[in-house]
């Protein structure tokens, strides 16, 4: 925690490049997230880990609101000033509407028994330069340069086995200023051999033109198989280990290790940390983060789940030779 506070205090002018992101928890854990069940982040990392809370019998619907997205979309669309920003004005009409909705509604999840369906909107492209150049909490300029959305379906085949698939839609400008669109899929499986260990696998299948979207920071390259392992020595502590590109299909991600940990503080917060490499394995990155202000996941019934999700997620990525890169999310879950 001392290092985390020091990183914030030492860079008062740094922006926070995360108007629309679920990345603070995974990246605070060093990106070791392939075998970590989650609600929103699983749609981007391992669709088999999509685990919305089962609050009651029948259908369970949850809506996730992005608090930082409101100021951003007001500024970009010119709702108050009457003037669109240049990035927003260059989008097609249909995409303008999608950006406006996705800036406020981060995601929707539905669960019935062993079936879970989720929609994740406007997940930003995390490039190192964009995070360093971000200007304030609601700067969506880099977000509109490139982002993706996912539709996820997860199945629990047995209490210890789940599978899932995410359909990914990419959008971004190329070097010539043309708008590019494309798709891809993430296939996942998750196994729980006992109540302390979880094993996860994903095949990340995207076109070469969108390969950079998740490679530079998150280490996920197109058409690669990735694996993860989590161990829970206690109910409040998660130790995670990932290995990227098991078949060594990509020169920049082959057999890249990532480690992370999360300690849940009695349901009142979470402290996270991790370690991984960037720049083709030549630079070490230390990641730190917190989760704060826990919400009641299930508002009705005696078995209400507390601390299932946090309102605030924060991560900082520390690498020698560059300034700290910050990520923050403020999401309300209904």
């Amino acid at each position: 925690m001392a290092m985390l506070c020091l990183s914030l205090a030492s860079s008062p002018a740094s922006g926070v490049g995360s108007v629309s992101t679920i990345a603070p928890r995974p990246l605070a854990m060093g990106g070791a997230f392939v075998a970590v069940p989650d609600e929103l982040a699983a749609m981007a990392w391992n669709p088999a880990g999509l685990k919305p809370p089962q609050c009651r019998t029948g259908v369970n619907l949850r809506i996730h609101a992005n608090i930082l997205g409101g100021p951003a979309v007001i500024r970009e669309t010119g709702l108050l000033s009457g003037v669109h920003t240049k990035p927003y004005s260059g989008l097609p009409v249909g995409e303008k509407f999608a950006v406006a909705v996705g800036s406020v509604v981060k995601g929707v999840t539905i669960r019935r028994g062993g079936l879970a369906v989720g929609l994740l909107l406007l997940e930003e492209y995390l490039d190192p330069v964009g995070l360093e150049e971000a200007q304030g909490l609601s700067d969506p300029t880099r977000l509109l340069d490139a982002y993706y959305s996912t539709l996820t379906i997860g199945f629990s085949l047995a209490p210890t086995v789940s599978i899932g698939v995410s359909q990914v839609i990419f959008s971004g400008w190329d070097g010539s200023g043309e708008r590019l669109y494309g798709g891809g899929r993430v296939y996942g499986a998750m196994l729980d051999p006992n109540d302390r260990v979880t094993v996860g696998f994903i095949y990340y299948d995207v076109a070469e033109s969108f390969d950079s979207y998740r490679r530079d920071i998150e280490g996920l390259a197109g058409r690669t198989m990735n694996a993860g392992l989590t161990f829970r020595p206690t109910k409040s502590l998660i130790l995670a280990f990932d290995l990227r590109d098991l078949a060594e299909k990509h020169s920049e991600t082959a057999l890249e290790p990532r480690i992370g940990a999360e300690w849940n503080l009695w349901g009142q917060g979470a402290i996270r940390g991790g370690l991984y490499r960037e720049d083709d394995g030549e630079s070490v990155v230390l990641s730190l983060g917190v989760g704060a202000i826990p919400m009641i996941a299930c508002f009705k019934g005696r078995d209400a789940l507390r601390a299932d999700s946090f309102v605030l997620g924060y991560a900082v990525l520390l690498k020698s030779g560059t300034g700290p890169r910050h990520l923050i999310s403020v999401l309300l879950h209904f």
Side-chain angles (χ1 to χ4, degrees):
M1 284 296 290
M3 292 185 67
L4 178 61
C5 295
L6 180 62
S7 71
L8 287 172
S10 63
S11 56
S14 296
V16 182
S18 52
V19 171
S20 185
T21 181
I22 44 80
R25 186 189 180 200
L27 285 180
M29 297 174 65
F33 212 74
V34 170
V36 180
D38 196 89
E39 187 169 7
L40 288 178
M43 289 188 268
W45 287 85
N46 187 343
L50 177 59
K51 305 290 184 182
Q54 186 75 42
C55 297
R56 60 187 70 85
T57 59
V59 177
N60 289 255
L61 170 67
R62 296 235 296 170
I63 298 173
H64 309 269
N66 179 13
I67 302 305
L68 294 181
V73 74
I74 288 174
R75 185 173 64 190
E76 291 299 295
T77 60
L79 188 61
L80 297 180
S81 66
V83 180
H84 293 181
T85 64
K86 185 176 180 180
Y88 185 81
S89 63
L91 301 178
V93 174
E95 192 170 359
K96 287 181 179 179
F97 176 77
V99 166
V101 172
S103 295
V104 179
V105 179
K106 183 58 188 172
V108 179
T109 56
I110 303 172
R111 179 177 176 181
R112 181 180 176 88
L115 173 65
V117 179
L119 179 64
L120 180 67
L121 299 173
L122 254 66
E123 186 60 16
E124 64 181 328
Y125 162 41
L126 300 178
D127 70 299
V129 175
L131 289 182
E132 291 180 22
E133 294 179 350
Q135 300 295 316
L137 290 179
S138 57
D139 177 12
T141 304
R142 305 296 298 194
L143 168 65
L144 297 184
D145 283 350
Y147 64 84
Y148 65 92
S149 300
T150 69
L151 174 64
T152 299
I153 301 177
F155 302 91
S156 293
L157 302 180
T160 60
V161 181
S162 59
I163 61 173
V165 59
S166 288
Q167 175 65 51
V168 187
I169 303 298
F170 297 97
S171 176
W173 278 297
D174 64 9
S176 65
E178 294 292 326
R179 197 72 180 172
L180 293 179
Y181 302 92
R185 290 189 179 92
V186 182
Y187 303 92
M190 203 168 277
L191 311 175
D192 297 290
N194 56 59
D195 60 0
R196 292 179 180 268
V197 176
T198 299
V199 181
F201 298 93
I202 62 167
Y203 182 68
Y204 185 66
D205 185 16
V206 300
E208 184 177 347
S209 55
F210 297 99
D211 181 66
S212 64
Y213 272 47
R214 304 194 60 188
R215 186 186 68 235
D216 293 340
I217 293 180
E218 296 165 300
L220 295 175
R223 301 183 181 180
T224 61
M225 176 67 73
N226 307 270
L229 173 71
T230 60
F231 174 62
R232 293 172 291 278
T234 68
K235 289 185 177 180
S236 61
L237 180 62
I238 297 175
L239 304 178
F241 174 77
D242 274 16
L243 195 60
R244 298 286 191 263
D245 192 5
L246 298 180
E248 301 182 70
K249 296 290 187 181
H250 198 287
S251 61
E252 296 183 35
T253 60
L255 299 179
E256 174 191 308
R258 290 177 174 241
I259 59 174
E262 178 181 71
W263 181 26
N264 191 306
L265 303 173
W266 310 283
Q268 301 303 311
I271 298 175
R272 300 161 184 148
L275 199 67
Y276 67 97
R277 291 182 177 272
E278 280 186 357
D279 305 327
D280 200 16
E282 296 184 1
S283 303
V284 176
V285 178
L286 171 66
S287 62
L288 300 168
V290 296
I293 318 176
M295 287 188 66
I296 298 175
C298 302
F299 291 94
K300 298 179 181 179
R302 297 179 180 177
D303 299 325
L305 304 176
R306 294 181 179 271
D308 172 77
S309 48
F310 293 100
V311 175
L312 170 67
Y314 169 77
V316 58
L317 309 180
L318 304 173
K319 182 175 74 171
S320 61
T322 66
R325 291 166 289 170
H326 305 280
L327 291 157
I328 189 169
S329 65
V330 185
L331 302 175
L332 294 180
H333 316 274
F334 302 97

PDB file of all heavy atoms in Angstrom, residues 40-65:
ATOM      1  N   LEU A  40     -17.635  -9.154 -15.043  1.00  0.00           N
ATOM      2  CA  LEU A  40     -17.388  -8.371 -16.251  1.00  0.00           C
ATOM      3  C   LEU A  40     -16.053  -8.714 -16.908  1.00  0.00           C
ATOM      4  O   LEU A  40     -15.983  -8.927 -18.117  1.00  0.00           O
ATOM      5  CB  LEU A  40     -17.419  -6.884 -15.921  1.00  0.00           C
ATOM      6  CG  LEU A  40     -18.794  -6.287 -15.612  1.00  0.00           C
ATOM      7  CD1 LEU A  40     -18.657  -4.813 -15.267  1.00  0.00           C
ATOM      8  CD2 LEU A  40     -19.746  -6.458 -16.776  1.00  0.00           C
ATOM      9  N   ALA A  41     -14.973  -8.773 -16.124  1.00  0.00           N
ATOM     10  CA  ALA A  41     -13.649  -8.992 -16.702  1.00  0.00           C
ATOM     11  C   ALA A  41     -13.539 -10.338 -17.398  1.00  0.00           C
ATOM     12  O   ALA A  41     -12.761 -10.491 -18.341  1.00  0.00           O
ATOM     13  CB  ALA A  41     -12.579  -8.869 -15.622  1.00  0.00           C
ATOM     14  N   ALA A  42     -14.305 -11.331 -16.962  1.00  0.00           N
ATOM     15  CA  ALA A  42     -14.239 -12.649 -17.597  1.00  0.00           C
ATOM     16  C   ALA A  42     -14.621 -12.588 -19.062  1.00  0.00           C
ATOM     17  O   ALA A  42     -14.131 -13.382 -19.867  1.00  0.00           O
ATOM     18  CB  ALA A  42     -15.148 -13.626 -16.862  1.00  0.00           C
ATOM     19  N   MET A  43     -15.485 -11.655 -19.436  1.00  0.00           N
ATOM     20  CA  MET A  43     -15.908 -11.563 -20.832  1.00  0.00           C
ATOM     21  C   MET A  43     -14.755 -11.181 -21.742  1.00  0.00           C
ATOM     22  O   MET A  43     -14.766 -11.479 -22.935  1.00  0.00           O
ATOM     23  CB  MET A  43     -17.061 -10.570 -20.964  1.00  0.00           C
ATOM     24  CG  MET A  43     -18.366 -11.077 -20.383  1.00  0.00           C
ATOM     25  SD  MET A  43     -19.754  -9.984 -20.764  1.00  0.00           S
ATOM     26  CE  MET A  43     -19.756  -8.927 -19.330  1.00  0.00           C
ATOM     27  N   ALA A  44     -13.747 -10.514 -21.194  1.00  0.00           N
ATOM     28  CA  ALA A  44     -12.574 -10.145 -21.972  1.00  0.00           C
ATOM     29  C   ALA A  44     -11.435 -11.137 -21.803  1.00  0.00           C
ATOM     30  O   ALA A  44     -10.572 -11.233 -22.675  1.00  0.00           O
ATOM     31  CB  ALA A  44     -12.102  -8.743 -21.568  1.00  0.00           C
ATOM     32  N   TRP A  45     -11.409 -11.883 -20.691  1.00  0.00           N
ATOM     33  CA  TRP A  45     -10.261 -12.737 -20.384  1.00  0.00           C
ATOM     34  C   TRP A  45     -10.544 -14.212 -20.600  1.00  0.00           C
ATOM     35  O   TRP A  45      -9.821 -14.880 -21.327  1.00  0.00           O
ATOM     36  CB  TRP A  45      -9.792 -12.479 -18.954  1.00  0.00           C
ATOM     37  CG  TRP A  45      -9.099 -11.172 -18.830  1.00  0.00           C
ATOM     38  CD1 TRP A  45      -9.659  -9.950 -18.633  1.00  0.00           C
ATOM     39  CD2 TRP A  45      -7.701 -10.941 -18.953  1.00  0.00           C
ATOM     40  NE1 TRP A  45      -8.716  -8.973 -18.613  1.00  0.00           N
ATOM     41  CE2 TRP A  45      -7.484  -9.555 -18.803  1.00  0.00           C
ATOM     42  CE3 TRP A  45      -6.600 -11.772 -19.149  1.00  0.00           C
ATOM     43  CZ2 TRP A  45      -6.224  -8.980 -18.864  1.00  0.00           C
ATOM     44  CZ3 TRP A  45      -5.338 -11.208 -19.204  1.00  0.00           C
ATOM     45  CH2 TRP A  45      -5.157  -9.817 -19.057  1.00  0.00           C
ATOM     46  N   ASN A  46     -11.537 -14.752 -19.946  1.00  0.00           N
ATOM     47  CA  ASN A  46     -11.895 -16.161 -20.128  1.00  0.00           C
ATOM     48  C   ASN A  46     -13.400 -16.299 -20.004  1.00  0.00           C
ATOM     49  O   ASN A  46     -13.943 -16.239 -18.890  1.00  0.00           O
ATOM     50  CB  ASN A  46     -11.196 -17.045 -19.090  1.00  0.00           C
ATOM     51  CG  ASN A  46     -11.406 -18.529 -19.367  1.00  0.00           C
ATOM     52  OD1 ASN A  46     -12.297 -18.916 -20.111  1.00  0.00           O
ATOM     53  ND2 ASN A  46     -10.575 -19.358 -18.759  1.00  0.00           N
ATOM     54  N   PRO A  47     -14.099 -16.463 -21.118  1.00  0.00           N
ATOM     55  CA  PRO A  47     -15.567 -16.518 -21.069  1.00  0.00           C
ATOM     56  C   PRO A  47     -16.109 -17.647 -20.203  1.00  0.00           C
ATOM     57  O   PRO A  47     -17.245 -17.565 -19.730  1.00  0.00           O
ATOM     58  CB  PRO A  47     -15.964 -16.696 -22.537  1.00  0.00           C
ATOM     59  CG  PRO A  47     -14.737 -17.205 -23.218  1.00  0.00           C
ATOM     60  CD  PRO A  47     -13.581 -16.610 -22.488  1.00  0.00           C
ATOM     61  N   ALA A  48     -15.315 -18.686 -19.985  1.00  0.00           N
ATOM     62  CA  ALA A  48     -15.757 -19.768 -19.100  1.00  0.00           C
ATOM     63  C   ALA A  48     -15.841 -19.308 -17.657  1.00  0.00           C
ATOM     64  O   ALA A  48     -16.505 -19.944 -16.833  1.00  0.00           O
ATOM     65  CB  ALA A  48     -14.802 -20.955 -19.212  1.00  0.00           C
ATOM     66  N   GLY A  49     -15.175 -18.204 -17.322  1.00  0.00           N
ATOM     67  CA  GLY A  49     -15.194 -17.673 -15.967  1.00  0.00           C
ATOM     68  C   GLY A  49     -16.285 -16.658 -15.716  1.00  0.00           C
ATOM     69  O   GLY A  49     -16.294 -16.021 -14.652  1.00  0.00           O
ATOM     70  N   LEU A  50     -17.223 -16.482 -16.657  1.00  0.00           N
ATOM     71  CA  LEU A  50     -18.332 -15.543 -16.466  1.00  0.00           C
ATOM     72  C   LEU A  50     -19.236 -16.074 -15.350  1.00  0.00           C
ATOM     73  O   LEU A  50     -19.975 -17.040 -15.547  1.00  0.00           O
ATOM     74  CB  LEU A  50     -19.116 -15.385 -17.768  1.00  0.00           C
ATOM     75  CG  LEU A  50     -20.361 -14.487 -17.708  1.00  0.00           C
ATOM     76  CD1 LEU A  50     -20.008 -13.077 -17.270  1.00  0.00           C
ATOM     77  CD2 LEU A  50     -21.064 -14.468 -19.068  1.00  0.00           C
ATOM     78  N   LYS A  51     -19.175 -15.455 -14.176  1.00  0.00           N
ATOM     79  CA  LYS A  51     -19.890 -15.941 -12.997  1.00  0.00           C
ATOM     80  C   LYS A  51     -20.710 -14.829 -12.346  1.00  0.00           C
ATOM     81  O   LYS A  51     -20.364 -14.336 -11.274  1.00  0.00           O
ATOM     82  CB  LYS A  51     -18.899 -16.504 -11.974  1.00  0.00           C
ATOM     83  CG  LYS A  51     -17.965 -17.582 -12.496  1.00  0.00           C
ATOM     84  CD  LYS A  51     -18.693 -18.879 -12.778  1.00  0.00           C
ATOM     85  CE  LYS A  51     -17.719 -19.976 -13.203  1.00  0.00           C
ATOM     86  NZ  LYS A  51     -18.400 -21.238 -13.530  1.00  0.00           N
ATOM     87  N   PRO A  52     -21.825 -14.406 -12.948  1.00  0.00           N
ATOM     88  CA  PRO A  52     -22.694 -13.460 -12.258  1.00  0.00           C
ATOM     89  C   PRO A  52     -23.275 -14.115 -11.012  1.00  0.00           C
ATOM     90  O   PRO A  52     -23.463 -15.332 -10.973  1.00  0.00           O
ATOM     91  CB  PRO A  52     -23.803 -13.178 -13.290  1.00  0.00           C
ATOM     92  CG  PRO A  52     -23.260 -13.652 -14.592  1.00  0.00           C
ATOM     93  CD  PRO A  52     -22.336 -14.773 -14.263  1.00  0.00           C
ATOM     94  N   PRO A  53     -23.572 -13.338  -9.964  1.00  0.00           N
ATOM     95  CA  PRO A  53     -24.131 -13.933  -8.747  1.00  0.00           C
ATOM     96  C   PRO A  53     -25.521 -14.517  -8.997  1.00  0.00           C
ATOM     97  O   PRO A  53     -26.311 -13.960  -9.762  1.00  0.00           O
ATOM     98  CB  PRO A  53     -24.194 -12.756  -7.767  1.00  0.00           C
ATOM     99  CG  PRO A  53     -24.220 -11.545  -8.642  1.00  0.00           C
ATOM    100  CD  PRO A  53     -23.396 -11.888  -9.839  1.00  0.00           C
ATOM    101  N   GLN A  54     -25.798 -15.649  -8.372  1.00  0.00           N
ATOM    102  CA  GLN A  54     -27.118 -16.277  -8.447  1.00  0.00           C
ATOM    103  C   GLN A  54     -27.910 -15.785  -7.237  1.00  0.00           C
ATOM    104  O   GLN A  54     -27.877 -16.363  -6.156  1.00  0.00           O
ATOM    105  CB  GLN A  54     -26.990 -17.800  -8.422  1.00  0.00           C
ATOM    106  CG  GLN A  54     -28.299 -18.543  -8.650  1.00  0.00           C
ATOM    107  CD  GLN A  54     -28.750 -18.504 -10.106  1.00  0.00           C
ATOM    108  OE1 GLN A  54     -27.947 -18.663 -11.015  1.00  0.00           O
ATOM    109  NE2 GLN A  54     -30.028 -18.283 -10.323  1.00  0.00           N
ATOM    110  N   CYS A  55     -28.605 -14.665  -7.428  1.00  0.00           N
ATOM    111  CA  CYS A  55     -29.245 -14.004  -6.297  1.00  0.00           C
ATOM    112  C   CYS A  55     -30.595 -14.618  -5.926  1.00  0.00           C
ATOM    113  O   CYS A  55     -31.038 -14.507  -4.792  1.00  0.00           O
ATOM    114  CB  CYS A  55     -29.434 -12.526  -6.600  1.00  0.00           C
ATOM    115  SG  CYS A  55     -27.879 -11.631  -6.847  1.00  0.00           S
ATOM    116  N   ARG A  56     -31.261 -15.241  -6.859  1.00  0.00           N
ATOM    117  CA  ARG A  56     -32.576 -15.831  -6.604  1.00  0.00           C
ATOM    118  C   ARG A  56     -32.812 -16.920  -7.632  1.00  0.00           C
ATOM    119  O   ARG A  56     -32.033 -17.074  -8.574  1.00  0.00           O
ATOM    120  CB  ARG A  56     -33.661 -14.756  -6.703  1.00  0.00           C
ATOM    121  CG  ARG A  56     -33.729 -14.082  -8.070  1.00  0.00           C
ATOM    122  CD  ARG A  56     -34.681 -12.915  -8.083  1.00  0.00           C
ATOM    123  NE  ARG A  56     -34.153 -11.824  -7.311  1.00  0.00           N
ATOM    124  CZ  ARG A  56     -33.299 -10.925  -7.794  1.00  0.00           C
ATOM    125  NH1 ARG A  56     -32.862 -11.019  -9.040  1.00  0.00           N
ATOM    126  NH2 ARG A  56     -32.851  -9.949  -7.054  1.00  0.00           N
ATOM    127  N   THR A  57     -33.861 -17.678  -7.463  1.00  0.00           N
ATOM    128  CA  THR A  57     -34.192 -18.687  -8.455  1.00  0.00           C
ATOM    129  C   THR A  57     -34.700 -18.018  -9.726  1.00  0.00           C
ATOM    130  O   THR A  57     -35.199 -16.889  -9.701  1.00  0.00           O
ATOM    131  CB  THR A  57     -35.270 -19.633  -7.918  1.00  0.00           C
ATOM    132  OG1 THR A  57     -36.440 -18.878  -7.572  1.00  0.00           O
ATOM    133  CG2 THR A  57     -34.772 -20.386  -6.698  1.00  0.00           C
ATOM    134  N   GLY A  58     -34.572 -18.706 -10.845  1.00  0.00           N
ATOM    135  CA  GLY A  58     -35.008 -18.135 -12.108  1.00  0.00           C
ATOM    136  C   GLY A  58     -33.928 -17.297 -12.752  1.00  0.00           C
ATOM    137  O   GLY A  58     -32.728 -17.535 -12.580  1.00  0.00           O
ATOM    138  N   VAL A  59     -34.349 -16.267 -13.487  1.00  0.00           N
ATOM    139  CA  VAL A  59     -33.423 -15.426 -14.238  1.00  0.00           C
ATOM    140  C   VAL A  59     -32.876 -14.313 -13.350  1.00  0.00           C
ATOM    141  O   VAL A  59     -33.630 -13.637 -12.647  1.00  0.00           O
ATOM    142  CB  VAL A  59     -34.119 -14.821 -15.471  1.00  0.00           C
ATOM    143  CG1 VAL A  59     -33.164 -13.894 -16.214  1.00  0.00           C
ATOM    144  CG2 VAL A  59     -34.629 -15.919 -16.386  1.00  0.00           C
ATOM    145  N   ASN A  60     -31.553 -14.127 -13.385  1.00  0.00           N
ATOM    146  CA  ASN A  60     -30.904 -13.060 -12.639  1.00  0.00           C
ATOM    147  C   ASN A  60     -30.289 -12.078 -13.625  1.00  0.00           C
ATOM    148  O   ASN A  60     -29.410 -12.437 -14.414  1.00  0.00           O
ATOM    149  CB  ASN A  60     -29.816 -13.636 -11.739  1.00  0.00           C
ATOM    150  CG  ASN A  60     -30.377 -14.415 -10.565  1.00  0.00           C
ATOM    151  OD1 ASN A  60     -30.378 -13.957  -9.446  1.00  0.00           O
ATOM    152  ND2 ASN A  60     -30.867 -15.624 -10.840  1.00  0.00           N
ATOM    153  N   LEU A  61     -30.735 -10.829 -13.586  1.00  0.00           N
ATOM    154  CA  LEU A  61     -30.269  -9.783 -14.490  1.00  0.00           C
ATOM    155  C   LEU A  61     -29.509  -8.732 -13.695  1.00  0.00           C
ATOM    156  O   LEU A  61     -29.972  -8.281 -12.644  1.00  0.00           O
ATOM    157  CB  LEU A  61     -31.450  -9.125 -15.205  1.00  0.00           C
ATOM    158  CG  LEU A  61     -31.152  -7.847 -16.005  1.00  0.00           C
ATOM    159  CD1 LEU A  61     -30.274  -8.153 -17.208  1.00  0.00           C
ATOM    160  CD2 LEU A  61     -32.455  -7.174 -16.436  1.00  0.00           C
ATOM    161  N   ARG A  62     -28.324  -8.350 -14.204  1.00  0.00           N
ATOM    162  CA  ARG A  62     -27.550  -7.280 -13.571  1.00  0.00           C
ATOM    163  C   ARG A  62     -27.098  -6.283 -14.640  1.00  0.00           C
ATOM    164  O   ARG A  62     -26.667  -6.662 -15.728  1.00  0.00           O
ATOM    165  CB  ARG A  62     -26.320  -7.846 -12.869  1.00  0.00           C
ATOM    166  CG  ARG A  62     -26.653  -8.771 -11.708  1.00  0.00           C
ATOM    167  CD  ARG A  62     -25.999  -8.331 -10.433  1.00  0.00           C
ATOM    168  NE  ARG A  62     -24.550  -8.384 -10.501  1.00  0.00           N
ATOM    169  CZ  ARG A  62     -23.756  -7.855  -9.551  1.00  0.00           C
ATOM    170  NH1 ARG A  62     -24.271  -7.213  -8.532  1.00  0.00           N
ATOM    171  NH2 ARG A  62     -22.436  -7.953  -9.645  1.00  0.00           N
ATOM    172  N   ILE A  63     -27.186  -5.002 -14.305  1.00  0.00           N
ATOM    173  CA  ILE A  63     -26.737  -3.920 -15.180  1.00  0.00           C
ATOM    174  C   ILE A  63     -25.587  -3.198 -14.478  1.00  0.00           C
ATOM    175  O   ILE A  63     -25.643  -2.932 -13.273  1.00  0.00           O
ATOM    176  CB  ILE A  63     -27.881  -2.941 -15.488  1.00  0.00           C
ATOM    177  CG1 ILE A  63     -29.006  -3.667 -16.236  1.00  0.00           C
ATOM    178  CG2 ILE A  63     -27.379  -1.760 -16.318  1.00  0.00           C
ATOM    179  CD1 ILE A  63     -30.245  -2.831 -16.443  1.00  0.00           C
ATOM    180  N   HIS A  64     -24.552  -2.876 -15.252  1.00  0.00           N
ATOM    181  CA  HIS A  64     -23.334  -2.296 -14.684  1.00  0.00           C
ATOM    182  C   HIS A  64     -23.119  -0.906 -15.300  1.00  0.00           C
ATOM    183  O   HIS A  64     -22.888  -0.785 -16.500  1.00  0.00           O
ATOM    184  CB  HIS A  64     -22.144  -3.204 -14.972  1.00  0.00           C
ATOM    185  CG  HIS A  64     -22.407  -4.633 -14.583  1.00  0.00           C
ATOM    186  ND1 HIS A  64     -22.101  -5.132 -13.343  1.00  0.00           N
ATOM    187  CD2 HIS A  64     -22.984  -5.650 -15.274  1.00  0.00           C
ATOM    188  CE1 HIS A  64     -22.462  -6.405 -13.279  1.00  0.00           C
ATOM    189  NE2 HIS A  64     -22.992  -6.739 -14.433  1.00  0.00           N
ATOM    190  N   ALA A  65     -23.225   0.113 -14.470  1.00  0.00           N
ATOM    191  CA  ALA A  65     -23.145   1.497 -14.937  1.00  0.00           C
ATOM    192  C   ALA A  65     -21.739   2.044 -14.745  1.00  0.00           C
ATOM    193  O   ALA A  65     -21.113   1.855 -13.691  1.00  0.00           O
ATOM    194  CB  ALA A  65     -24.148   2.361 -14.186  1.00  0.00           C
TER     195      ALA A  65
END
